[in-house]
Amino acid sequence: MARSDWRRPASHPYEEGCVRRVRMTVAYDGTGYSGWQHQRNAPSVQAEIEDALYRLTGHSVTVVGSGRTDSGVHALGQVCHFDLPDERFPAVVFKRALNAFLPPAIRIMDSEETNDSFHARFSAMAREYRYLIKREADMTPFDSGRVWVVKELPSLELLKAHAAEIAGTHDFTTFTAAGDMCERRHRDIYVSDFSVEKDIHGAEVLVYTICGNAFLYKMVRSIVGTLFFLVLGGVPATETARRLAARDRSQAGRTASAHGLYLSRISFDEKEYEWFEHLHPSMEMPSEDREREDSDDEA
């Protein structure tokens, strides 16, 4: 969908009774949490931060995140905002003060003053995820719950060829898990690529990087699992293209573990991916579908 069709208001009003907005970047180990968003009878990252804010300020506030990561999924660059009814605390104080209340698995990386022109979810232009995979033989005690563990790593060249089929504007119904509530399944994928990196111990880590305007329910993990096992079997990249075009959930393979997935970065730069529309002309959408879907839920 062309960015001109993203119906974004110029401002996002403060919560009733509030006079200011604070923006924060958050990192967290999602192993012990049900995800970012509030869940009944289960711990969430959002609830932990809201509780810490209440203990610090005495106000019950709603923390709005850029992406609602699923249970067990991690983040290095989650962005959120909250509104406050007073100006007692300078924005820069929240990083240090909230970290004193939060568990070690959740860290505020920065905090700054913003205004009603910014909204953590609706101002986001792109969301980037990284998925980490390691060989079982290379695992250390510090990798548990933080990577997807496999017996062997398949061909990097073939992985990159399969990943290239994901880039562009597509209907991602094939890679959407049951339970997704979005009516429109088209998404713009700016980056889809595999690389091999070294961890701090010198072991190889297979990294899948994907960046797009938004994501569907468990979409990234479904893509990773499907591509990985297709490549492990030596299947050519045309098979990924065929399965994607089929728009059929039964064509997807195994969904990869939540442990390897990280929300790595949120981009608010309107110019960063402007080139995309020139390389991938937008698909024509029915007028009733042109309201942008910001559902990057539990990717």
Side-chain angles (χ1 to χ4, degrees), residues 163-182:
E165 299 293 340
I166 299 297
T169 299
H170 307 285
D171 181 322
F172 282 95
T173 296
T174 296
F175 298 110
T176 303
D180 186 274
M181 303 301 292
C182 295

Side-chain angles (χ1 to χ4, degrees), residues 7-23:
R7 296 178 180 175
R8 296 179 168 219
S11 65
H12 307 273
Y14 297 139
E15 292 286 329
E16 185 176 357
C18 292
V19 296
R20 62 187 294 218
R21 180 164 293 166
V22 175
R23 164 181 170 170

Side-chain angles (χ1 to χ4, degrees), residues 153 156 194-198 204-207:
L153 300 182
L156 179 61
F194 280 93
S195 60
V196 173
E197 302 178 9
K198 298 283 188 180
E204 285 189 342
V205 182
L206 179 63
V207 181

Side-chain angles (χ1 to χ4, degrees), residues 146-168:
R146 294 174 178 83
V147 297
W148 186 29
V149 187
V150 298
K151 294 289 186 182
E152 293 295 334
L153 300 182
S155 163
L156 179 61
E157 181 179 0
L158 191 51
L159 280 169
K160 292 172 80 69
H162 277 261
E165 299 293 340
I166 299 297

Side-chain angles (χ1 to χ4, degrees), residues 67 69 74-78 127-129 261-266:
T69 53
H74 315 296
L76 294 170
Q78 170 75 281
R127 297 160 172 90
E128 179 182 281
Y129 286 86
L261 185 58
Y262 294 75
L263 175 55
S264 58
R265 185 174 69 94
I266 306 295

Side-chain angles (χ1 to χ4, degrees), residues 30 80-81 91 97 115 130 133 158 173 179 241 243 249 251 285:
C80 64
H81 80 257
N115 54 47
R130 282 163 60 87
I133 306 170
L158 191 51
T173 296
R243 295 190 183 202
R249 175 61 189 168
Q251 296 289 307
M285 301 290 176

Side-chain angles (χ1 to χ4, degrees), residues 56 88-99 111:
L56 175 65
R88 287 179 297 154
F89 302 94
V92 294
V93 167
F94 286 101
K95 173 183 176 179
R96 174 178 53 81
L98 290 179
N99 282 337
S111 57

Side-chain angles (χ1 to χ4, degrees), residues 30 72 118 234:
F118 174 83

